[in-house]
Structures are given as structure tokens and as C-alpha cells.
Amino acid sequence: MAALRLIAAHELAVTIEEDEVRVGFDDSDWFGPGRFTIGGRNEPLAPVHESDASVTVASGDVLASVRVFRDSPVVVFRLESATALDGIATEAFARPAYAWPSFDPGSRPPGGLPEGSRGFGYQYTEFALPTQSDASLSRWRLLPFRPAVVEPLGIVAPDGRCLLLAPLNAFHDQVIGVGDDRIACGWHGDLERVPAGFATEMAVIAGMGPRDCLDQYGALLRQQNDTHRPARDADELGRALSYWTDNGSAYWYRTEPGLDTASSLVSTMDDLRERGIPVTSVQLDSWWYPHEVVRPFNTDDWVVPPTGLVRWEPRDDVLPQGIQHLRAGLGHPALVTHCRHLSSSSPYLDAHACWIDGDRAHPQTSDLYERWLDQAQAWGVATFEHDWLVESFLGVRGLRSEPGRARNWQEGLDHAAAERGITLQWCMATPADFLQTTTLGALTSIRTSGDHGYMIGPGELWTWFLLTNALARALGLRPYKDVFLSDRSNPDHHSEVEALLAALSTGPVGIGDALGQADRELVLRTCREDGVLVRPDVPLAAVDRCFAEHPVARATPLVAEAWTDHAAGRWVYAAAFNVSRFEERLEEEIELAA
């Protein structure tokens, strides 16, 4: 087709020429030439509509368009099915059946991207793993057991100019696939069919630095979806100090010597009260209900079996007298109860329609969640923690085979929780789950890093937490750092750093110490004497420099900031850490910008 150039604000330009599209500042080409592809094949661009702000092209039963915003630095690529399509799956989630655009960074012209530019983004993993690449955009640091999908995906130049590529809708139905020297934006490869009129939009947003682009992106999604976040004190979990029994805590599948599970927790809560450590809510993790493969108690084996839930009811061998009896023994705190993906061997499948995929299953409607939430309400549960979100979606093909199903699942659960006055926490969320929260109203917190003390070192976890917090903060979410041990007698606990990060997260602050081991003086640095949390207005998040150079992989400091607005003005909190794997002293001056 004839050359066409569209200009957005801040000189962000799109050029379409000879069946290729290029995006960059002025005449640059940051992502490389992009094509419209179907099944991996390049398709010609046949224009059906043109203006000075948009162009639409057609190929068979699919329309592809690009438009620019004159008053903001945003470009939007849109894919729309003109008719119902069936049998379109590629059998590879990260390889879109229909892609617009599919960029080829290796074919950038000389000077198309400023020298020294770097790629950054979030892999499609639990807790949205932050990742980096060099300018090739092909050398991403990825977990091999998760899809090679990075979203949002950005490029930042040494002068701070930045472009962010990110979905605007259908968050679970489209992907940004990386690999094979391509960046393919489009409908994920497990979609088997789409209805007529199904449309997805992918934006390119320009700014000065990764944080600026993320903030613009989050504001755009929140405005587009009329997002209303719960108040910061909407539940006891977010308002005051909590006690946790999840992975990394003293009593995750463990008991105090000579005591059972219930008496271990009751004794610990009694001790906390006697010593003036003001816990007001208690989390009950996956140990209290049966899974297909049950993890044994009091073992040194730290394996977490990924099998599904069989019944969301107390195990007879763990809580024979039930949840309500345990809550009474604990002093009637607000409860936070864990839930995970469903096993296909569960008896719930006899009463509730589910998609089945091997040993996994997922409800087709919200009726099973409504059943669980009714139980939760009767037990005195205040917050329903849905864990293993990544396994729920990637583990059941039926949930991915048609568009809108994942959105319906999460919005249905959100609506059911709100009707019952129960709040939600997301755990092991993918980037798509983070983005879909812009249509939810009962979610009060979200985990933003891997399990405390599990598999990787604290420096890696702190970096993960602070980089992913930047995405959560842009979306208006309150991050949860995960449980920590306040006992400073063991230096491996890194208790003071953990307490600092938790306090500055704006989300829950959860301790998990064994009986008699909690450090009152340290804990009370995070909250008042009555347990009310002391926190900034926005979550602590990594600054721009950390996106281009990973602080663990490079000899560079991990730097983060947060702020609070007072009548006396804005107070900014800055934190810097040496987490480099090279274990060398860092001598660097960090400037504090106004």
C-alpha cells in the first residue's frame, strides 16, 4: 500500500509502507518492522479506510487498524473479526493465531533505535515476574516452565525516552509473544474460536522512563474501565497487623512440638496478645482443606504439590472441630482463607458444571464460588484469598478456548464476594490478572513477588517485589509483600528489611513467627499500639534505573521510592539496597530528585 504516516502527541509516529508498520519517535523504528500475520504467514495490507489519524486494512475475515491520539502519546493497534471464526488455535499459547503487529526487531534499519537501549517487561508468570532484555528484544530472562509472553513490554533509551507496548482490553485473550526473533501481538494460540465482532486493542505509549509509561498506562485503563478501588481500610487485613500461616511462616504445614495445628495457633495468638503484639486478623493457608495430593505436616521437604482442591472444607485430621471452633480459640479475629485451583477428582464436579483438563477443572459459572463464599460468611471470613491464579488459567484449556471466559470468572467471583461483604486478595496472579483487576471492585490486595524464603534468595525477591510494585501502583493496587519472620536473632530472616518493605507496601503486613519468637519492638515499627498500620500513600516501587539493569544481575543498587502527602507537603521515602549477586561493595551516590 502507499506510504502513510500518522503522528500522535510528543512526536510518536506510525509509518505504514509496503505492508509494514514502524513505530518510534519522529523517523525512528524502535520495535522493527511490523506485519499483519495469520498463522505465522505475512498478509498484505489492503486499505479499506484512511484518515489523518487512523487506517484500517482487511485480510479475509479479519480487520486490522491503527489509530493515533492527537492529544496524548498513544498509538492503538486493533484486531477485529468480521465474522465468527473457528479452528484457529495454533496449539502454542505464546504464538498468536492472528497477530497485528508482529514486529521483527532484528530487521530495524541502522540507527532505528538509540544505541544502549534496553527492553523490560513482565513475564506471563505467577506474580508477574519482571524481566529484561538487550536491544535485540530476543534475550529475555524467562522462566522456562511458563509461556514466552512479556506484557507489558517496553524499551527505554539511555536518554530516558521510553515506549511501552501493552493490551487495552481482552487481557486474558491476547498476548505479546516473544521468541523466534519476533514480538507477536495478537490472539493467543489456545483460542479455538471467536465470535463475529470480537476485537482486541494493543497500545504503544510514549513517555520519559518506564515509570512514566506505566503510570500513563494504568491511568488509561482505570479511566477506560471506570475503576473504583476499595478504601485502604476496607478490610481488617489492609487496616491492621495480621498473622500468616503460608509458605515461609512457622506453621505452614508445621506444628509446635507436642501440639496439633489448632493448639499451635491458639497458643501463638495468646502469646502475641500477652506481649502486646496487636494482630487483628489471621490467615489460614492451604493446609486446612484437602487437595488431590496432600502435603504431609512437619517434614523438611519443601515441595509444594501443584495439585488441585478436592473439597473446600476443613480436613478431619487437621481441624476436626472446624473453622468456627478454631476462630473462637484464636479470639475471634477476622479470617483470611486460602483457596486454589480445582481438582478434576473433586466431588463438586457432580453438582457444578466445569471444564476439565487432565487433573484440573474450573467452574463454568460462579455458582461454586458462591457456595464457598456462603461457607466463608458463616465461618466469619473477612477476606477470600484466591491463590494459584496462574494454574487456574493455564491449567484448564476450556477457560482459554473462547474469549471472555476468564473475565467472566473473575468478575463473577468479585460480584459474589461484594454481595456478601467479603473482600478478595489475588495470589500467583499473571500480568493479565493484574490488568483485569481494573474491572473488579472487591479486591483489596495482590501479591507482587514469590514466596518468602522459597527457591530464590531475598535480594531476588526484593527486586521482584519492587519492580512489580511499579505495575501494581500504576493500576491503583495495594501490593502484599508476603509473610515475614520478625525474629531478629536469626540473620537469615533479614527481619528489618522485610519489615521495612512490608510497612512501605501500603498493603497487608503479615508476620508468621513461631510461638514466643515475634519481635515486638520491630513489629511496632510497622503499626500503632492498636495494630493500625502506618504506611505511605503509594506503594514503594523501583525507580526507572532498575528496569534497564537488573540489580541482582548487575553491580547496581536496587532503589525505590514512595511518598505521603501531609498538610506540611509531600514527604518522600527512598530506600536503596545492595542485592547484587557479585557480593561486592557498591560505592555510588544516588541523587534525590525533587
Side-chain angles (χ1 to χ4, degrees):
M1 62 180 292
L4 178 67
R5 196 158 188 259
L6 308 176
I7 308 294
H10 298 180
E11 302 302 320
L12 177 60
V14 178
T15 303
I16 303 177
E17 185 175 14
E18 297 180 353
D19 296 333
E20 292 182 345
V21 60
R22 299 174 188 271
V23 183
F25 294 96
D26 297 321
D27 294 323
S28 60
D29 182 10
W30 280 40
F31 293 102
R35 300 293 300 263
F36 179 25
T37 66
I38 300 178
R41 301 183 308 275
N42 293 334
E43 296 290 322
L45 301 181
V48 296
H49 170 79
E50 293 182 24
S51 75
D52 62 351
S54 68
V55 60
T56 301
V57 298
S59 182
D61 297 321
V62 178
L63 299 175
S65 65
V66 57
R67 70 182 187 274
V68 299
F69 288 19
R70 295 299 193 192
D71 56 352
S72 59
V74 178
V75 173
V76 177
F77 292 92
R78 179 181 175 90
L79 266 177
E80 181 176 355
S81 57
T83 185
L85 302 173
D86 201 352
I88 64 173
T90 67
E91 305 305 329
F93 180 76
R95 190 170 69 245
Y98 292 79
W100 170 246
S102 179
F103 291 114
D104 179 7
S107 297
R108 294 189 196 101
L113 180 67
E115 187 176 349
S117 296
R118 302 279 301 178
F120 67 91
Y122 299 92
Q123 190 190 357
Y124 210 98
T125 67
E126 48 272 66
F127 314 114
L129 176 72
T131 181
Q132 289 84 18
S133 171
D134 60 14
S136 72
L137 301 182
S138 63
R139 298 184 180 92
W140 297 97
R141 178 174 171 268
L142 303 177
L143 295 181
F145 55 88
R146 294 301 184 202
V149 171
V150 176
E151 60 184 37
L153 181 154
I155 312 174
V156 58
D159 64 4
R161 288 180 300 162
C162 185
L163 292 184
L164 187 73
L165 183 62
L168 291 181
N169 68 347
F171 304 116
H172 288 89
D173 304 321
Q174 59 175 324
V175 294
I176 303 173
V178 299
D180 299 325
D181 298 323
R182 296 276 175 172
I183 301 173
C185 309
W187 303 342
H188 72 67
D190 288 340
L191 272 179
E192 296 173 3
R193 63 194 66 85
V194 299
F198 171 65
T200 59
E201 294 189 333
M202 187 73 65
V204 177
I205 300 170
M208 284 303 293
R211 289 283 302 278
D212 179 31
C213 286
L214 286 170
D215 288 346
Q216 289 187 64
Y217 176 51
L220 184 60
L221 292 186
R222 293 163 70 184
Q223 179 181 24
Q224 174 181 281
N225 293 301
D226 192 24
T227 305
H228 293 278
R229 296 295 185 201
R232 61 192 295 162
D233 295 336
D235 56 14
E236 198 64 18
L237 178 63
R239 188 188 76 88
L241 184 68
S242 52
Y243 184 84
W244 286 67
T245 63
D246 61 335
N247 190 3
S249 69
Y251 299 127
W252 185 71
Y253 290 93
R254 284 191 178 276
T255 60
E256 193 66 22
L259 301 178
D260 60 13
T261 302
S263 57
S264 295
L265 296 179
V266 168
S267 298
T268 300
M269 285 295 290
D270 288 344
D271 170 74
L272 293 173
R273 275 190 294 269
E274 289 171 5
R275 295 196 292 122
I277 301 176
V279 166
T280 66
S281 59
V282 176
Q283 185 260 6
L284 308 181
D285 207 68
S286 61
W287 47 263
W288 66 269
Y289 59 86
H291 317 151
E292 187 172 355
V293 175
V294 177
R295 187 187 188 283
F297 271 68
N298 297 317
T299 175
D300 291 331
D301 185 7
W302 212 345
V303 172
V304 184
T307 56
L309 172 158
V310 175
R311 289 182 296 108
W312 203 66
E313 298 172 5
R315 287 171 53 176
D316 293 336
D317 61 332
V318 176
L319 294 179
Q321 295 176 291
I323 298 288
Q324 289 161 308
H325 185 269
L326 172 63
R327 182 173 180 242
L330 296 173
H332 296 281
L335 293 182
V336 181
T337 45
H338 180 282
C339 185
R340 62 163 62 190
H341 56 293
L342 185 64
S343 168
S344 59
S345 67
S346 170
Y348 292 131
L349 273 66
D350 295 333
H352 302 275
C354 294
W355 295 292
I356 299 172
D357 191 345
D359 65 349
R360 311 287 171 89
H362 193 87
Q364 294 184 17
T365 66
S366 61
D367 58 347
L368 180 54
Y369 283 106
E370 291 171 5
R371 174 176 175 173
W372 291 340
L373 289 167
D374 285 339
Q375 291 177 201
Q377 195 173 39
W379 293 335
V381 172
T383 301
F384 183 88
E385 177 202 0
H386 202 317
D387 200 355
W388 297 80
L389 289 175
V390 64
E391 293 292 340
S392 296
F393 183 64
L394 294 180
V396 178
R397 177 65 177 269
L399 194 56
R400 308 190 304 280
S401 62
E402 292 188 12
R405 287 180 173 178
R407 176 175 181 163
N408 291 340
W409 153 45
Q410 296 186 358
E411 290 182 349
L413 170 54
D414 181 77
H415 180 72
E419 282 189 325
R420 292 159 177 79
I422 294 174
T423 60
L424 299 173
Q425 182 187 83
W426 271 185
C427 191
M428 292 180 67
T430 69
D433 299 320
F434 275 71
L435 304 178
Q436 192 63 63
T437 67
T438 56
T439 70
L440 308 183
L443 190 87
T444 55
S445 59
I446 188 167
R447 274 274 302 278
T448 52
S449 65
D451 290 0
H452 172 64
Y454 182 60
M455 295 185 68
I456 58 178
E460 185 86 10
L461 288 171
W462 300 338
T463 304
W464 189 340
F465 173 67
L466 293 172
L467 284 167
T468 305
N469 277 7
L471 175 61
R473 176 166 153 175
L475 297 170
L477 293 167
R478 299 200 178 277
Y480 174 43
K481 189 212 68 64
D482 196 16
V483 67
F484 69 96
L485 302 177
S486 67
D487 175 16
R488 284 180 284 183
S489 67
N490 185 341
D492 291 338
H493 293 168
H494 303 281
S495 301
E496 291 186 321
V497 175
E498 295 283 347
L500 172 70
L501 294 174
L504 293 178
S505 73
T506 72
V509 175
I511 60 171
D513 295 278
L515 176 62
Q517 298 301 306
D519 186 322
R520 182 178 186 275
E521 191 274 332
L522 178 60
V523 170
L524 288 180
R525 296 186 200 174
T526 71
C527 64
R528 302 185 326 200
E529 293 276 349
D530 60 359
V532 172
L533 299 176
V534 179
R535 56 206 164 177
D537 288 350
V538 296
L540 188 71
V543 299
D544 283 340
R545 60 182 291 166
C546 301
F547 286 81
E549 298 290 345
H550 197 290
V552 174
R554 301 277 190 269
T556 185
L558 171 62
V559 184
E561 57 77 34
W563 50 260
T564 300
D565 281 335
H566 292 277
R570 174 167 292 184
W571 292 74
V572 177
Y573 315 101
F577 311 87
N578 181 357
V579 297
S580 173
R581 67 185 179 193
F582 299 108
E583 299 183 354
E584 49 185 57
R585 182 178 177 84
L586 296 179
E587 297 284 351
E588 183 165 344
E589 183 176 301
I590 299 170
E591 295 184 4
L592 298 179

